[in-house]
């Protein structure tokens, strides 16, 4: 599903008009599609009509609302239209309003009279809000804030059309009062407010109304449109398990991870690679950490290597890693690796020498940041999985800048260096491919905000990469499933108390839903 800004949505509409549609037709399609969703959601029939209050603005979103009101009236519902901002001004909306008037549908004008307003809210079964849509910015005025508060306090469910009034579509922010929807019907595509945390919570459950705008219309935009995926998409993307197969069928992941001080990073990353289906996994770590790491890793192959005096891998381990990589179909570098002169030299040289696709995480990214242009000398595809602090070291921008605009920063970096970037924020952004695509993840919760979560994610990604997935797809699938698994664990336990190992241990049960 595409995730587009208000301007991109308008461009897509213009593209559809060039194909022969008209703006009034698009408005009619939008209102009709939304009405059908409401009808289905609330089981409306001639024998089971509902009382519907449609609150309309004076622009295009209000025009969609007028069409919805007319369609709900045609379904046999008792419909009242409330003009929240006065008479419609946009021509198409005014034309749709005239059809509402011609049908004899009840029309009232909102005037901040709370007694009258409460009466209407108490007498309705469904409230439909179509006040501003994607064009809103800033905050609601005092009069509309009063209306929003009253609607939010009503017992009837609220359905917002495209964007809840009071929410800023593109920045995905809320300033002041907002209509808190139980259901938001996104017109044609998702908008940033629908999926970007934390303000996506004001949208409630999401539905999408198909109004006749095609994928080609979105692909014709003058800027790259983001997209998001759901469980059905991920299921189609995952490598299939074959009835006749062996361990060699599902790839060999080499995980160069861990040190004396960070043994858990090796355990979580290697275990994540195993749990996600790699046929063989080799754990390469310093010999000095053997007593701490080996007892926890009974399934993978172990490759203890020469340590330095800090308990991390020595640069002299390079030859053994390169030899092991000849048998690997993907390599993970960095989880718990440590940061010193040896590991910096090791990582930068591995980037130049390895021929298997790589995931670089944590201290591997920190090592790269000392010589970022080394990425342009890589002989194999690379996935980077930075959090904002690591991304700051890679690109030279502040953490605040990265959190404010993660999509643009990840996109520009992926484009410049020819890598796939999974930038881990509240909504992890994955950018990669040729041409560069932008995926925005909607799964996950704050329970993942603790050490070890990124190690697990990196292990999952190298597993999918080893099984033959393209780098971008491997990154997207691991990010989605990592978050989905954390959501399931949080429901069973809590976000506060959940550990990365809890997410790891739930993976087999999660995968049962994808086979």
């Amino acid at each position: 599903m595409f995730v587009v800004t208000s301007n991109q949505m308008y461009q897509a509409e213009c593209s559809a008009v060039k194909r022969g549609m008209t703006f009034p037709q698009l408005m009619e399609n939008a209102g009709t599609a939304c009405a059908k969703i409401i009808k289905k959601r609330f089981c409306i029939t001639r024998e089971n009509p509902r009382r519907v209050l449609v609150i309309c603005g004076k622009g295009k979103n209000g025009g969609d609302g007028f069409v919805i009101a007319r369609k709900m009236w045609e379904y046999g519902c008792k419909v009242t239209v409330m003009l929240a901002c006065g008479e419609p001004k946009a021509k198409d909306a005014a034309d749709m309003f005239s059809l509402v008037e011609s049908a004899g549908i009840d029309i009232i004008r909102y005037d901040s009279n709370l007694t009258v307003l409460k009466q209407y809210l108490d007498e309705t079964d469904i409230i439909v809000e179509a006040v501003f849509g994607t064009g809103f910015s800033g905050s609601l005025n005092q009069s509309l804030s009063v209306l929003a508060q009253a609607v939010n306090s009503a017992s009837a469910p609220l359905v917002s059309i495209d964007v809840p009034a009071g929410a800023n579509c593109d920045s995905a922010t809320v300033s002041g009062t907002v209509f808190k929807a139980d259901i938001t019907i996104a017109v044609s595509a998702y908008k940033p407010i629908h999926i970007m945390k934390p303000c996506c919570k004001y949208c409630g459950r999401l539905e999408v109304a198909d109004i006749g705008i095609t994928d080609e219309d979105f692909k014709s935009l003058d800027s790259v449109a983001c997209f998001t995926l759901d469980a059905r998409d991920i299921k189609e993307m995952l490598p299939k398990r074959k009835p006749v197969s062996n361990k060699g069928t599902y790839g060999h992941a080499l995980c160069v991870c861990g040190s004396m001080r960070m043994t858990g990073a090796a355990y979580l990353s290697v275990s994540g690679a195993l749990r996600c289906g790699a046929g063989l996994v080799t754990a390469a770590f310093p010999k000095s950490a053997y007593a701490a790491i080996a007892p926890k890793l009974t399934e993978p192959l172990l490759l203890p290597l020469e340590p330095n005096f800090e308990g991390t891998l020595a640069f002299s381990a390079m030859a053994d890693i390169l030899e092991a990589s000849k048998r690997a179909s993907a390599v993970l570098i960095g989880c718990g690796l440590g940061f010193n002169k040896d590991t910096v030299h090791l990582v930068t040289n591995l980037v130049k020498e390895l021929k298997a696709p790589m995931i670089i995480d944590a201290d591997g990214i920190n090592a790269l940041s000392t010589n970022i242009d080394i990425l342009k000398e890589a002989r194999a595809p690379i996935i980077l999985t930075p959090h904002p602090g690591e991304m700051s070291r890679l690109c030279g921008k502040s953490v605040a800048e990265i959190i404010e605009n993660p999509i643009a920063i990840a996109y520009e970096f992926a484009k410049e260096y020819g890598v796939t970037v999974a930038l881990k924020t509240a909504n992890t952004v994955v950018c990669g491919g040729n041409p560069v695509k932008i995926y925005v993840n909607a799964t996950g919760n704050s329970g993942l905000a603790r050490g070890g979560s990124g190690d697990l994610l990196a292990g999952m990604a190298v597993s999918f990469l080893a099984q033959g997935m393209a780098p971008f797809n491997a990154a997207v699938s691991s990010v989605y499933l990592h978050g989905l698994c954390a959501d399931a664990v949080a429901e069973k336990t809590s976000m506060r108390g959940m550990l990365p190992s809890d997410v790891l241990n739930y993976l087999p049960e999660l995968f049962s839903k994808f086979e």
Side-chain angles (χ1 to χ4, degrees):
M1 176 60 63
F2 285 102
V3 183
V4 298
T5 64
S6 55
N7 182 57
Q8 288 176 326
M9 188 68 239
Y10 177 68
Q11 289 182 41
E13 290 171 352
C14 291
S15 175
V17 169
K18 288 180 182 178
R19 289 191 290 103
M21 301 189 77
T22 65
F23 284 109
Q25 184 181 353
L26 288 171
M27 184 174 286
E28 180 75 19
N29 290 354
T32 301
C34 290
K36 287 180 178 178
I37 290 170
I38 295 168
K39 179 176 184 281
K40 181 178 180 180
R41 170 62 54 186
F42 294 100
C43 303
I44 295 171
T45 64
R46 287 283 178 182
E47 295 73 32
N48 183 34
R50 301 298 180 93
R51 297 168 297 177
V52 182
L53 174 65
V54 185
I55 304 172
C56 296
K58 57 186 180 182
K60 292 199 300 180
N61 194 243
D64 296 341
F66 297 135
V67 178
I68 292 168
R70 175 161 45 86
K71 293 299 177 180
M72 301 309 294
W73 175 76
E74 291 172 1
Y75 295 151
C77 294
K78 177 176 172 50
V79 179
T80 300
V81 169
M82 176 184 288
L83 299 178
C85 309
E87 299 283 331
K89 299 297 183 182
K91 182 182 183 307
D92 294 344
D95 291 344
M96 297 304 178
F97 178 60
S98 67
L99 295 177
V100 169
E101 289 182 303
S102 300
I105 295 170
D106 290 342
I107 299 169
I108 60 172
R109 286 159 176 78
Y110 168 62
D111 62 2
S112 302
N113 186 323
L114 291 179
T115 302
V116 174
L117 176 60
K118 187 175 186 305
Q119 177 185 343
Y120 278 106
L121 295 176
D122 288 344
E123 293 176 353
T124 194
D125 299 313
I126 304 167
I127 304 169
V128 178
E129 177 270 307
V131 178
F132 290 121
T134 61
F136 177 81
S137 62
S139 56
L140 296 178
N141 63 30
Q142 179 60 33
S143 176
L144 289 176
S145 293
V146 170
L147 175 58
Q149 290 166 1
V151 169
N152 292 341
S153 299
S155 58
L158 173 63
V159 181
S160 284
I161 305 305
D162 219 5
V163 176
N168 292 267
C169 169
D170 294 349
S171 64
T173 57
V174 168
S175 177
T177 309
V178 62
F179 286 79
K180 298 176 183 177
D182 296 289
I183 300 170
T184 294
I185 303 176
V187 176
S188 195
Y190 288 150
K191 316 304 183 300
I193 187 64
H194 296 142
I195 63 170
M196 299 300 285
K197 300 169 185 175
C199 291
C200 61
K201 64 185 178 183
Y202 296 115
C203 297
R205 181 184 178 90
L206 293 175
E207 301 275 359
V208 180
D210 181 0
I211 69 171
I213 293 176
T214 66
D215 285 358
E216 293 306 312
D217 293 319
F218 289 116
K219 291 175 182 177
S220 69
L221 302 175
D222 60 15
S223 57
V224 179
C226 305
F227 70 94
T228 193
L229 298 174
D230 60 21
R232 290 170 297 181
D233 301 315
I234 298 296
K235 184 176 181 178
E236 286 300 311
M237 195 181 291
L238 288 176
K240 302 298 184 287
R241 305 297 288 190
K242 301 175 182 178
V244 179
S245 57
N246 57 62
K247 61 189 177 185
T249 307
Y250 304 110
H252 185 169
L254 170 62
C255 299
V256 185
C257 302
S259 58
M260 278 290 289
R261 293 182 62 248
M262 291 176 280
T263 59
Y267 166 72
L268 288 166
S269 57
V270 172
S271 298
L274 287 164
R275 287 295 192 188
C276 287
L280 284 168
V281 179
T282 294
F285 54 87
K287 288 179 182 178
S288 54
Y290 186 89
I293 292 176
K296 291 186 175 183
L297 296 177
T298 56
E299 287 90 353
L301 301 168
L302 303 183
L303 182 60
L305 298 170
E306 191 66 30
N308 64 11
F309 69 96
E310 293 185 27
T312 69
L313 287 174
F315 179 64
S316 58
M318 174 84 176
D320 289 330
I321 294 172
L322 287 176
E323 184 61 31
S325 73
K326 295 175 183 178
R327 299 182 293 277
S329 44
V331 181
L332 167 59
I333 308 168
C335 301
L337 196 65
F339 182 72
N340 53 48
K341 186 180 294 185
D342 273 329
T343 56
V344 168
H345 287 325
L346 186 63
V347 171
T348 53
N349 279 275
L350 286 173
V351 166
K352 289 193 295 183
E353 297 296 330
L354 287 175
K355 297 179 181 178
M358 290 168 265
I359 311 281
I360 303 178
D361 183 50
D363 283 326
I365 293 173
N366 293 331
L368 280 180
S369 67
T370 65
N371 183 10
I372 192 64
D373 286 334
I374 204 76
L375 288 171
K376 296 180 179 179
E377 298 182 41
R379 303 167 70 182
I382 292 177
I383 300 172
L384 302 176
T385 54
H387 57 57
E390 291 160 349
M391 193 71 209
S392 176
R393 290 188 279 278
L394 285 176
C395 68
K397 298 184 183 297
S398 70
V399 170
E401 287 178 281
I402 291 166
I403 292 174
E404 180 71 20
N405 203 0
I407 294 173
I409 288 172
Y411 175 81
E412 290 302 326
F413 191 92
K415 187 176 180 181
E416 180 176 356
Y417 290 99
V419 297
T420 297
V421 177
L423 177 53
K424 298 176 290 192
T425 60
N427 290 90
T428 294
V429 176
V430 182
C431 297
N434 186 19
V436 178
K437 296 174 285 188
I438 306 171
Y439 167 79
V440 181
N441 191 55
T443 64
N445 59 74
S446 62
L448 290 171
R450 51 173 42 89
S453 293
D455 302 317
L456 174 58
L457 173 63
M460 295 171 67
V462 77
S463 183
F464 292 138
L465 199 59
Q467 292 171 69
M469 292 185 76
F472 182 78
N473 289 351
V476 167
S477 298
S478 56
V479 164
Y480 179 92
L481 291 167
H482 184 247
L484 187 67
C485 197
D487 290 339
V489 171
E491 284 187 12
K492 289 190 170 187
T493 57
S494 66
M495 287 184 280
R496 186 182 301 276
M498 63 186 276
L499 297 174
S501 56
D502 297 326
V503 180
L504 168 67
N505 293 332
Y506 188 76
L507 276 171
E509 186 173 339
L510 180 77
F511 279 122
S512 71
K513 300 174 175 63
F514 288 81
E515 292 184 352

